[in-house]
Amino acid sequence: MKLPLTASRVDLGQAMTAVLQVLKNKPSMSIAGISKATGIDRRTVGKAVDLILNVQKNLVTQKIEKEKVGKAWVISLKKKTSDLIGTAKGKIRR
């Protein structure tokens, strides 16, 4: 996913998307390799990878839910273990 040469700056969201897209095609690459493949600066690629790893680590035990309440969206962060226990209770009762 080469970005056009006119794009001098890439925001972190775009960088994360580009990094994930490149890693889908080739699951093991260096930061320099990802930088060459995307056309994004190595420092930005490094920051994007760090942020992806941080989010991944946090979402191992938690999940984000989005629900509509009236006109507003409510975003909540819940522990996955409570869902696991809830489904286990349902299976045991049957």
Side-chain angles (χ1 to χ4, degrees):
M1 176 178 187
K2 253 328 191 189
L3 294 175
L5 293 176
T6 57
S8 60
R9 295 181 64 101
V10 176
D11 69 19
L12 203 49
Q14 290 174 329
M16 288 173 59
T17 303
V19 166
L20 290 172
Q21 189 64 37
V22 166
L23 290 175
K24 281 182 186 176
N25 299 330
K26 192 170 181 184
S28 182
M29 293 181 78
S30 67
I31 288 180
I34 296 170
S35 176
K36 284 182 184 177
T38 59
I40 300 171
D41 185 67
R42 283 192 330 239
R43 292 172 293 191
T44 306
V45 170
K47 289 176 186 177
V49 169
D50 289 342
L51 186 56
I52 291 167
L53 290 171
N54 199 3
V55 168
Q56 177 181 322
K57 183 175 72 174
N58 288 329
L59 291 179
V60 167
T61 59
Q62 299 173 339
K63 70 177 184 175
I64 297 174
E65 290 185 350
K66 175 182 164 184
E67 66 178 296
K68 183 105 171 162
V69 177
K71 292 183 178 180
W73 286 98
V74 177
I75 311 300
S76 59
L77 190 62
K78 296 185 178 180
K79 292 189 178 197
K80 285 185 179 179
T81 54
S82 62
D83 289 341
L84 183 62
I85 292 169
T87 57
K89 284 181 185 176
K91 289 180 182 178
I92 291 173
R93 288 181 188 158
R94 292 184 201 160

